[in-house]
């Protein structure tokens, strides 16, 4: 059984920073696949924010967060982080951690991830 638990959400003002973390609990280590952060604002579709390939460490970002957000994973690949700087009101959303255990990589496509966390709320006020 795989479990993902997010932490670190909260409320900040425009220009502020937050760091999200996601702890992965599983009975095996996933050396293939990828992990990612998605977000969903009320009335909008879920969108991919950032993804990291487990084995290589390659990353992909949503254009609107490139240069402001940084995704990373620890050496054991059991904790995923998202450092978010220069936050904007349009970043307000529920943020979800996701895990893909397959061999291919579709970085920001939510249909390509098979495990999800419950989400953590990020609110940015102007």
């Amino acid at each position: 059984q795989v479990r993902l638990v997010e932490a670190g959400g909260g409320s900040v003002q425009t220009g502020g920073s937050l760091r999200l973390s996601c702890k992965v609990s599983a009975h095996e280590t996933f050396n293939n696949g990828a992990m990612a952060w998605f977000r969903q604002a009320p009335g909008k579709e879920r969108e991919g924010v950032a993804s990291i390939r487990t084995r290589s460490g390659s990353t992909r970002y949503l254009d609107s967060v490139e240069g402001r957000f940084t995704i990373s994973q620890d050496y054991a690949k059991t904790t995923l982080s998202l450092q978010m700087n220069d936050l904007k009101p349009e970043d307000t959303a529920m943020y979800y951690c996701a895990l893909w255990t397959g061999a291919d990589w579709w970085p920001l496509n939510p249909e390509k991830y098979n495990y999800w966390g419950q989400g953590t709320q990020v609110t940015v006020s102007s």
Side-chain angles (χ1 to χ4, degrees), residues 14 26 32 37 39 55 66 71 73 75 78 82 87-88 90 92 94-95 98 108 110 112-113 116-117 126:
T14 298
N32 290 319
W37 289 96
R39 66 186 182 189
R55 183 184 295 274
E66 183 86 49
I71 189 171
Q73 59 186 7
Y75 180 79
T78 58
L82 184 69
L87 283 160
K88 304 176 180 182
E90 51 264 41
T92 294
M94 184 71 78
Y95 283 69
L108 302 180
K112 294 296 183 179
Y113 288 80
W116 292 83
S126 57

Side-chain angles (χ1 to χ4, degrees), residues 7-26:
S11 297
V12 296
Q13 293 187 328
T14 298
S17 298
L18 284 173
R19 185 177 180 88
L20 306 182
S21 64
C22 173
K23 181 67 175 177
V24 181
S25 299

Side-chain angles (χ1 to χ4, degrees), residues 23-117:
K23 181 67 175 177
V24 181
S25 299
H27 293 297
E28 60 182 293
T29 300
F30 301 107
N31 292 317
N32 290 319
M35 294 196 71
W37 289 96
F38 290 81
R39 66 186 182 189
Q40 188 167 19
K44 296 187 176 181
E45 293 186 353
R46 188 169 296 191
E47 65 177 354
V49 175
S51 177
I52 185 165
R53 196 84 157 100
T54 302
R55 183 184 295 274
S56 67
S58 298
T59 58
R60 292 290 187 276
Y61 293 93
L62 181 68
D63 286 347
S64 63
V65 308
E66 183 86 49
R68 299 189 296 123
F69 291 10
T70 302
I71 189 171
S72 61
Q73 59 186 7
D74 69 337
Y75 180 79
K77 300 180 177 59
T78 58
T79 301
L80 180 73
S81 299
L82 184 69
Q83 178 65 42
M84 304 185 295
N85 298 327
D86 190 23
L87 283 160
K88 304 176 180 182
E90 51 264 41
D91 295 318
T92 294
M94 184 71 78
Y95 283 69
Y96 298 90
C97 170
L99 169 68
W100 166 241
T101 57
D104 56 349
W105 187 31
W106 300 83
L108 302 180
N109 185 342
E111 296 182 1
K112 294 296 183 179
Y113 288 80
N114 47 347
Y115 296 101
W116 292 83

